Amino acid sequence: MNLTVTPSSAAIEVVGLTKRYGQGAPAVDDINLRIESGSYCCLLGPSGCGKSTTLRMIAGHESVTSGDILLDNRNITELPASARGTAMMFQSFALFPHLTALDNVAFSLKMKGIPRGERYAKAQGLLERVAMGQFAQRKPGELSGGQQQRVALARALINQPRVLLLDEPLSALDPFLRIQMRAELRRWQKELGLTFVHVTHSQEEAMALADVMVVMNSGRIEQVGSPHQVYNRPVNEFVARFMGGHNVLDTPEGRVGVRTDHIQIAAGHIPEPGHSRSKKAVITDVEYQGTYVLLGLQDPHASRSAHSTSELAVLLSEARFSERPFSVGELVQLSWAAEAAHALQENRRAPV
Ligand code: ADP
Ligand code: MG
């Protein structure tokens, strides 16, 4: 028996994957995606965009309307969940409160009828793998949040999955624990070298964790890329707004995105700089954030129909703000360098 439990990772590919529930728009609409072996992939998007449905179809907990799911080039679309080589980790870890850590980890082996000695040896080996060996006899209520997460991880690994699927595992935790736990998840993923597919609606969480981010909207994929690519080059207005930290501006050159920290701000009535990369605006909000101050602004000339581009934001360092504090009601001049603006494609569909 292998007690060192060295998982072998696999790539996941979905081809033309679609899920329809009833008559309306599909929950997942003909998506194509390849997730490389050993990578940390986050499926990101607003509530209802189809993240969980996609994950459940990969897990085999949801049937597929059309399309295929491949694990290392093997078509697993019709296989039962237990035969796929995937495992699922659920929100708040979903440990059985009345069972010890060891019994939690060994549970699925017990269901399979594996003899007691063998299943305990394997479960103990996995608890040791996640540095929880000495806590095997504790119940979840006697463990910290971080320790519970490690038990949940050991339990998910008991059947030697090649891909771990995580559906909002951190969403029900308090903010402090959530940030600690995501650092742990990231560390374990690297250490195990296993493919992780993690569903979240939090941009911050996805950016902190992912090698590759998949931004979804209304059942479709809007953009796939590294956190750096997606944050710095959102392809369209939907991604720019969903990721945050961007202004969407209508310029004579078309619609562009400019990061809130890449906009210069000057006080008072400045002569026009003679190029299109500037705008007058009125400060509507000043929010102190510690290291930064976030200014909310409104374009005084924007028509009502262009409402979505009339609300602007500028992020200043605290030092810059202290040099020259701005206050609500002030008229200012905003400008940006040509290289700070990048073109946004038309949204495929209206943002939800
Ligand atoms: P997300 O995880 O991104 O919040 P889901 O994948 O859970 O979104 O849901 C996508 C869409 O499919 C939503 O409109 C949701 O209402 C619908 N949906 C999900 N599960 C079911 C189901 N079992 N029956 C009918 N509709 C569903
Ligand atoms: Mg969901």
Side-chain angles (χ1 to χ4, degrees), residues 156-274:
L157 297 176
I158 194 84
N159 290 310
Q160 287 171 296
R162 306 182 65 203
V163 173
L164 190 63
L165 307 170
L166 308 96
D167 194 352
E168 309 249 10
L170 308 177
S171 292
L173 305 179
D174 70 65
F176 184 73
L177 191 58
R178 192 182 311 149
I179 288 169
Q180 275 190 324
M181 293 305 92
R182 82 179 181 214
E184 275 236 350
L185 272 186
R186 171 90 195 158
R187 193 162 63 77
W188 285 115
Q189 188 270 336
K190 288 291 158 237
E191 194 160 318
L192 296 162
L194 208 55
T195 314
F196 275 35
V197 186
H198 175 137
V199 161
T200 177
H201 62 270
S202 160
Q203 308 85 323
E204 188 195 308
E205 188 170 303
M207 287 202 286
L209 285 167
D211 297 313
V212 60
M213 279 168 61
V214 178
V215 183
M216 295 182 65
N217 176 29
S218 308
R220 303 288 293 263
I221 293 175
E222 296 282 352
Q223 187 167 5
V224 178
S226 69
H228 181 83
Q229 286 166 337
V230 173
Y231 191 72
N232 283 286
R233 288 284 180 270
V235 291
N236 57 26
E237 181 179 355
F238 173 83
V239 178
R241 292 200 185 281
F242 185 74
M243 292 306 296
H246 280 79
N247 289 290
V248 176
L249 300 164
D250 279 320
T251 68
E253 291 79 37
R255 186 162 276 205
V256 298
V258 183
R259 273 171 53 160
T260 57
D261 56 339
H262 290 171
I263 290 197
Q264 284 79 51
I265 178 167
H269 296 273
I270 318 289
E272 292 297 329

Side-chain angles (χ1 to χ4, degrees), residues 3 19 23 26 56 59 66 113 154 159 202 206 286 310 347:
L3 286 185
K19 178 67 189 185
Q23 289 308 305
R56 288 202 308 267
S66 58
N159 290 310
S202 160
V286 177
S310 70
N347 279 339

Side-chain angles (χ1 to χ4, degrees), residues 19 21-22 25-28 45-54 56 62 167-168 199 216:
K19 178 67 189 185
Y21 298 104
V28 175
S47 177
C49 73
K51 307 179 296 294
S52 293
T53 303
T54 302
R56 288 202 308 267
E62 187 69 77
D167 194 352
E168 309 249 10
V199 161
M216 295 182 65

